């Protein structure tokens, strides 16, 4: 289930935002206000503790990155040369979450916690994993 693979709720610097980080998928979450955020985090932590008490699987140390939002980049975060447009599409590296161009993310890597098939990764992540 979702909660058995949930790693933790991480409070971010945003007053109403936080990240859910897990081995399979990580993402940003935003509440309407600080009070709602506090309620959500308290509930998530209660669920995580309940799963741990019931003997849920141990949490892996390999975590999926929270993707950088699409509107945070106008150029490739690796080469800085490619300006994104309808022709030059944005891609997310599945290992680090950066927004990259096609040329900087041609390679694929097997990340078993995310997919049974190899997934798109940026050149630096491929090189690091292959070293």
């Amino acid at each position: 289930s979702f909660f058995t693979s949930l790693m933790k709720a991480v409070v971010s610097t945003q007053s109403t935002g936080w990240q859910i980080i897990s081995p399979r998928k990580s993402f940003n979450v935003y509440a309407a206000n600080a009070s709602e955020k506090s309620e959500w985090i308290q509930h998530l932590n209660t669920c995580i503790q309940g799963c741990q008490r019931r003997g849920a699987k141990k949490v892996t140390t390999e975590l999926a990155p929270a993707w950088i939002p699409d509107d945070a980049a106008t150029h490739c975060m690796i080469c800085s040369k490619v300006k994104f447009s309808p022709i030059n599409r944005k891609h997310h590296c599945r290992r680090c979450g950066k927004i990259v161009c096609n040329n900087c993310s041609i390679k694929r890597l097997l990340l078993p916690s995310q997919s049974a098939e190899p997934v798109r990764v940026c050149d630096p992540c491929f090189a690091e994993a292959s070293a």
Side-chain angles (χ1 to χ4, degrees):
S1 81
F2 174 76
F3 288 112
T4 58
S5 67
L6 190 64
M7 174 62 180
K8 57 186 171 181
V10 178
V11 179
S12 74
T13 57
Q14 298 270 340
S15 63
T16 61
W18 69 97
Q19 293 181 327
I20 303 293
I21 300 177
S22 76
R24 188 164 203 104
K25 183 85 172 170
S26 297
F27 50 94
N28 299 315
V29 182
Y30 298 92
N33 54 52
S35 175
E36 184 179 85
K37 173 185 173 181
S38 178
E39 290 175 28
W40 270 103
I41 290 177
Q42 182 179 3
H43 182 70
L44 288 168
N45 285 328
T46 299
C47 291
I48 292 167
Q49 290 166 2
C51 289
Q52 290 170 339
R53 278 193 304 275
R54 288 189 296 277
K57 301 189 286 188
K58 291 291 181 198
V59 177
T60 180
T61 56
E62 186 178 329
L63 302 171
W67 287 3
I68 294 173
D70 282 344
D71 60 0
T74 58
H75 291 76
C76 175
M77 295 178 147
I78 302 299
C79 70
S80 301
K81 295 176 186 172
V82 175
K83 182 175 181 178
F84 296 120
S85 69
I87 294 169
N88 291 316
R89 295 185 52 219
K90 296 177 181 181
H91 300 282
H92 281 90
C93 173
R94 302 313 197 264
R95 190 165 183 255
C96 69
K98 288 181 181 175
I99 300 171
V100 296
C101 67
N102 188 59
N103 288 342
C104 291
S105 62
I106 292 174
K107 297 178 176 73
R108 296 186 179 272
L109 194 62
L110 182 61
L111 301 176
S113 64
Q114 292 184 39
S115 174
E117 300 294 323
V119 293
R120 181 184 292 265
V121 295
C122 66
D123 291 348
C125 282
F126 185 85
E128 183 181 311
S130 301

